[in-house]
Amino acid sequence: MPVPWFLLSLALGRNPVVLSLERVVGPQDTARCSPGLSCHLWDGDVLCLPGSLVSAPGPVLVPTRLQTELVLRCHEETDCDLCVRVAVHLAVHGYWEDPEDEEKFRRAADPELEEPRNASLQAHIVLSFQAYPTAHCVLLEVQVPAALVQPGQSVGSVVFDCFEAALGAEVQIWSYTQPRYQKELNLTQQLPDCRGLEVQDNIQSCWALPWLNVSADGEDVRLVLDVSEEQHFGLSLYWNQDQGPIKPWWHSNLTGPQTITLNHTDLVPCLCIQVWPLEPDSVRTSICPFREDPRAHRNLWRAARLQLLPSRGWRLDAPCSLPAEATLCWQALDGGPCLPLVPPLPRENVTVNVLEFPLRKGHPNVCVQVSTWEKLQMQECLWADSLGPLKDDMLLVETRGPQDNGSLCALEPSGCTPLLSRASTRAARLGEQLLQDVQSGQCLQLWDSDLGALWACPMDKYIHQRWALVWLACLLLAAVLFLLLLLKMNPVKGWLRLLKENIRAGAASRSRAALLLYSADDASFERLVGVLASALCQLPLRVAVDLWSRRDLSAQGALAWFHAQRRQTLQEGGVVVLLFSPGAVALCREWLQDATSAPRAHGPHDAFAASLSCVLPDFLQGRAPGRYVGAYFDKLLPADAVPALFRSVPVFSLPSQLPDFLGTLQGPAAPRSRWLAERAEQVSRALQPALDSCFRPPGALGTGRGMGP
């Protein structure tokens, strides 16, 4: 990156920083060294060829750091040129391969010898200077006395005066040794122009230069060109692209002085201003004062456009380079968030380059999102104009394994839902039909690779079928209601009243989901839990229990299954039921106390043990009320055995408190107490045989294990 010599501020009333430069008299180049070193500048230019790296035969001198300084080389008092002074810092690199060679080197420099020899370390340092369109190299010979030679230590520096350069030029400096023992040092710097130096009276090319000031005029920006009357100059406004040539925006030849106003909506970070006198070989001054202006960055994103190109290509058009990240996403017809297709598709780093879509075919629901630093800047659905409006299609993501074993899931706002799952989403309900559509070729393949594929499946036919069933059900219901109105007998009215209550209760309970968590103490207790879950489904409630999801448990694992069921239940306003038993209480105590021994192993389907890592934090942090309900069977567990931590939510004894338990499960919209009492009686009768089996002697159950009170 070029290192700027000065900064131009847009603040009102402030002038650019100026530098006062040292003067060097005479046209000859010179070199000087640090005390203790000797150096010599070879006459004439040398070839700028670094050569290949070679191994050092022992300690050698190498450049470690470059340092530059601007000076003025003056031929007369008012005739000076800009010059770059370069200081090269040196150090000793490498060690003696043979200790005898080191001993000889030390003895040759020993001052106590009768005939001491001037032993020293010598190096040839090359300085390469490039400023378009010229290049210049010099050779410095440096000698270091043996007394200063310490491997790895700095020995001083050598200073070269100096390389002449043009105002405003970008210069590159390299330094290396001949032969070359290490990678060359390099430095790139942007030299200031006449505005950044106190050189107006010393450099003749700056005498006739138009001076430009940038100030604010309300929301707009004012460019004031301070030049003498009748002086002709050129003014150019251009967009300075990081990649590719500059883009001219406005150019004019003017006569000074002039004041030009720019609308604030025209400001972008790469807008630069160049001004020069209309004379042969004149110096041009360029500034780019809006790089850090927040208004310019906002205008840039407003002006940016995504353009669809033929053959599945697209481009981000903007006045300036926009380093950003682009992703493809799927926009559903219902107007929800655009769902990113990463993975499986990769992210792309974009500027203003042309990129190619990885898709095989276009689709109106496929959109492009462009973001910077985790912030979404723009989103456009490029195919909406050519392929029509958004469609009610379902996007299926196919994932392929190493042995051709693939899986399909549907991209929905809640995540990627497996087609053959028991989730309550549209994709899960139509999973088998969508799978058949993919196999029969009714879905459009958007992307295909070794890792997977993307399919867009139409949903119109399923919507038509659903509305046909709805209309048929409405007609049947209207016919039934008409027949009932004809019957005015009291029993029929009572039956209608009871039917109304059942429908109201069913509608209220259908909107309530319950997740049942328990500890699998033995087969009798599991049978008791299954009977309770089946009875609750008759209310009806939507009950989830791991007894009915053993296949999903094996595929996902107990912890992942619990996470998915808990999130879905709570999002739908449901409740999590904790069934306490002796085994469940023991597991809770293992988690709550600081036990020195490792917890006992649990079965692969024990969702209760896996769920404690998430259930306990909800109770400890006070998030449990309204989400959890506790219950225990009064013949299997005493009331005081439930840990105190779980008393922050209602805990019911079954079957004695069944009416209150059912009312809590159904939520605020629970029906009347008479209906609850009737339902509680039905559930109690269903539970009684299973409860009795838990107290039979072991011999009465064959190989099963009985549970004592």
Side-chain angles (χ1 to χ4, degrees):
M1 293 270 308
V3 179
W5 285 87
F6 73 105
L7 299 176
L8 179 66
S9 174
L10 262 183
L12 299 183
R14 298 180 60 182
N15 295 323
V17 177
V18 293
L19 304 175
S20 180
L21 304 183
E22 177 186 344
R23 291 169 174 264
V24 176
V25 180
Q28 297 298 324
D29 296 339
T30 60
R32 63 182 186 275
C33 306
S34 300
L37 306 184
S38 62
C39 55
H40 170 68
L41 175 62
W42 284 42
D43 295 333
D45 288 348
V46 297
L47 292 177
C48 302
L49 297 176
S52 303
L53 282 173
V54 298
S55 300
V60 293
L61 278 180
V62 293
T64 58
R65 184 164 61 93
L66 291 177
Q67 194 172 2
T68 59
E69 179 184 2
L70 285 182
V71 296
L72 289 178
R73 170 170 282 172
C74 298
H75 311 284
E76 296 179 2
E77 180 67 23
T78 59
D79 185 11
C80 301
D81 293 312
L82 191 62
C83 210
V84 181
R85 174 183 291 165
V86 182
V88 184
H89 296 263
L90 304 172
V92 178
H93 173 74
Y95 297 88
W96 296 100
E97 296 181 357
D98 191 348
E100 294 182 0
D101 295 338
E102 181 179 7
E103 185 63 25
K104 292 178 181 179
F105 183 80
R106 298 296 181 192
R107 284 184 302 178
D110 191 350
E112 297 181 359
L113 293 177
E114 295 180 358
E115 296 181 359
R117 289 171 288 174
N118 295 325
S120 63
L121 201 60
Q122 179 177 306
H124 291 91
I125 308 297
V126 177
L127 283 178
S128 175
F129 182 86
Q130 292 189 10
Y132 181 82
T134 61
H136 181 42
C137 291
V138 296
L139 180 64
L140 304 173
E141 182 179 307
V142 184
Q143 290 186 353
V144 181
L148 299 179
V149 176
Q150 296 292 335
Q153 297 295 323
S154 176
V155 296
S157 61
V158 57
V159 179
F160 171 75
D161 277 332
C162 57
F163 293 112
E164 293 186 10
L167 291 166
E170 182 180 271
V171 300
Q172 294 179 323
I173 304 171
W174 284 271
S175 178
Y176 50 89
T177 60
Q178 281 188 346
R180 188 161 63 96
Y181 300 117
Q182 65 178 17
K183 185 178 180 181
E184 62 268 16
L185 298 180
N186 67 83
L187 179 66
T188 302
Q189 290 192 338
Q190 182 73 40
L191 301 186
D193 55 20
C194 295
R195 290 178 53 86
L197 302 170
E198 289 183 350
V199 295
Q200 292 91 333
D201 299 330
N202 304 116
I203 300 180
Q204 296 181 4
S205 59
C206 293
W207 292 356
L209 186 69
W211 295 96
L212 176 66
N213 292 318
V214 182
S215 61
D217 183 14
E219 286 290 331
D220 300 328
V221 173
R222 178 182 298 169
L223 307 180
V224 180
L225 291 100
D226 185 11
V227 296
S228 60
E229 294 185 3
E230 305 304 327
Q231 181 183 352
H232 302 285
F233 63 93
L235 178 67
S236 175
L237 301 179
Y238 63 94
W239 293 322
N240 186 23
Q241 294 278 2
D242 292 339
Q243 299 177 357
I246 63 175
K247 291 183 178 180
W249 180 46
W250 183 81
H251 168 80
S252 180
N253 293 332
L254 304 173
T255 301
Q258 289 281 347
T259 299
I260 299 174
T261 302
L262 296 178
N263 195 307
H264 69 93
T265 58
D266 295 330
L267 304 182
V268 290
C270 64
L271 179 61
C272 299
I273 307 163
Q274 188 177 78
V275 60
W276 67 96
L278 295 178
E279 298 175 359
D281 299 327
S282 59
V283 176
R284 297 194 176 201
T285 299
S286 298
I287 58 173
C288 303
F290 310 110
R291 293 186 184 276
E292 305 299 330
D293 193 330
R295 297 175 302 174
H297 285 274
R298 289 194 295 268
N299 293 338
L300 179 59
W301 279 110
R302 293 192 186 105
R305 293 292 181 269
L306 290 171
Q307 181 181 1
L308 183 64
L309 302 176
S311 68
R312 297 184 294 115
W314 64 283
R315 179 175 61 199
L316 177 61
D317 284 333
C320 308
S321 296
L322 280 173
E325 190 176 62
T327 57
L328 295 181
C329 62
W330 178 265
Q331 181 63 62
L333 183 61
D334 57 6
C338 197
L339 305 176
L341 302 182
V342 178
L345 298 183
R347 298 180 183 270
E348 295 285 353
N349 292 324
V350 301
T351 53
V352 292
N353 297 331
V354 177
L355 296 179
E356 184 176 349
F357 279 111
L359 304 181
R360 299 178 59 182
K361 294 184 179 179
H363 194 281
N365 294 40
V366 175
C367 306
V368 179
Q369 289 181 337
V370 181
S371 57
T372 57
W373 300 291
E374 305 297 333
K375 180 181 179 181
L376 179 62
Q377 297 288 357
M378 60 187 308
Q379 173 183 317
E380 290 191 21
C381 301
L382 300 180
W383 280 291
D385 294 336
S386 58
L387 299 181
L390 300 180
K391 297 181 179 180
D392 189 16
D393 289 0
M394 182 70 68
L395 185 70
L396 304 184
V397 180
E398 180 182 359
T399 304
R400 295 169 182 167
Q403 300 179 353
D404 295 336
N405 50 346
S407 61
L408 275 173
C409 63
L411 195 62
E412 296 182 296
S414 59
C416 206
T417 306
L419 293 186
L420 303 179
S421 67
R422 296 186 178 181
S424 59
T425 63
R426 182 172 68 160
R429 290 192 298 268
L430 301 174
E432 294 184 358
Q433 293 92 319
L434 291 174
L435 187 59
Q436 293 176 1
D437 291 346
V438 172
Q439 296 172 350
S440 60
Q442 300 183 36
C443 298
L444 177 66
Q445 189 179 46
L446 303 180
W447 174 72
D448 186 25
S449 75
D450 296 336
L451 301 178
L454 295 178
W455 305 84
C457 298
M459 302 294 290
D460 297 342
K461 59 181 180 181
Y462 301 113
I463 295 176
H464 296 159
Q465 294 175 1
R466 182 178 62 185
W467 281 111
L469 294 176
V470 170
W471 280 112
L472 181 60
C474 290
L475 291 175
L476 290 176
L477 180 61
V480 171
L481 291 177
F482 179 75
L483 292 176
L484 292 177
L485 289 176
L486 298 178
L487 303 175
K488 298 184 179 180
M489 298 173 57
N490 289 334
V492 174
K493 292 181 180 180
W495 181 81
L496 286 176
R497 189 180 301 111
L498 181 60
L499 178 62
K500 181 180 179 180
E501 292 179 359
N502 288 342
I503 293 175
R504 185 182 303 164
S509 60
R510 274 195 299 272
S511 62
R512 189 76 164 172
L515 173 61
L516 217 58
L517 294 180
Y518 68 98
S519 173
D521 292 359
D522 60 11
S524 300
F525 188 76
E526 280 190 306
R527 188 160 49 251
L528 177 60
V529 173
V531 172
L532 175 62
S534 300
L536 293 179
C537 289
Q538 301 300 321
L539 292 180
L541 284 172
R542 288 184 288 113
V543 180
V545 64
D546 62 351
L547 279 173
W548 302 339
S549 305
R550 288 295 168 84
R551 178 180 297 178
D552 292 341
L553 275 173
S554 300
Q556 303 176 15
L559 184 59
W561 179 87
F562 166 73
H563 271 295
Q565 295 297 327
R566 173 181 173 273
R567 182 177 64 251
Q568 180 179 346
T569 300
L570 296 182
Q571 286 178 350
E572 296 175 357
V575 63
V576 179
V577 181
L578 301 178
L579 279 179
F580 291 98
S581 64
V585 171
L587 286 173
C588 293
R589 288 173 179 168
E590 286 182 14
W591 279 85
L592 291 173
Q593 67 185 0
D594 294 329
T596 57
S597 60
R600 60 188 177 90
H602 308 291
H605 306 307
D606 197 349
F608 187 88
S611 66
L612 286 179
S613 61
C614 293
V615 171
L616 289 178
D618 286 345
F619 281 86
L620 293 172
Q621 298 174 12
R623 298 195 302 263
R627 296 180 171 188
Y628 293 82
V629 171
Y632 63 94
F633 295 97
D634 44 17
K635 293 183 179 181
L636 302 182
L637 191 72
D640 57 355
V642 178
L645 175 65
F646 299 97
R647 297 288 181 176
S648 60
V649 301
V651 180
F652 300 97
S653 175
L654 305 181
S656 59
Q657 296 179 343
L658 262 176
D660 295 336
F661 176 66
L662 298 182
T664 302
L665 290 185
Q666 293 181 342
R672 293 184 302 178
S673 58
R674 186 179 66 180
W675 185 90
L676 286 176
E678 294 174 357
R679 294 298 184 181
E681 182 64 24
Q682 296 175 6
V683 175
S684 179
R685 287 197 300 268
L687 288 177
Q688 197 59 46
L691 275 171
D692 294 339
S693 68
C694 292
F695 293 91
R696 294 175 185 171
L701 293 177
T703 59
R705 294 175 294 166
M707 177 184 292

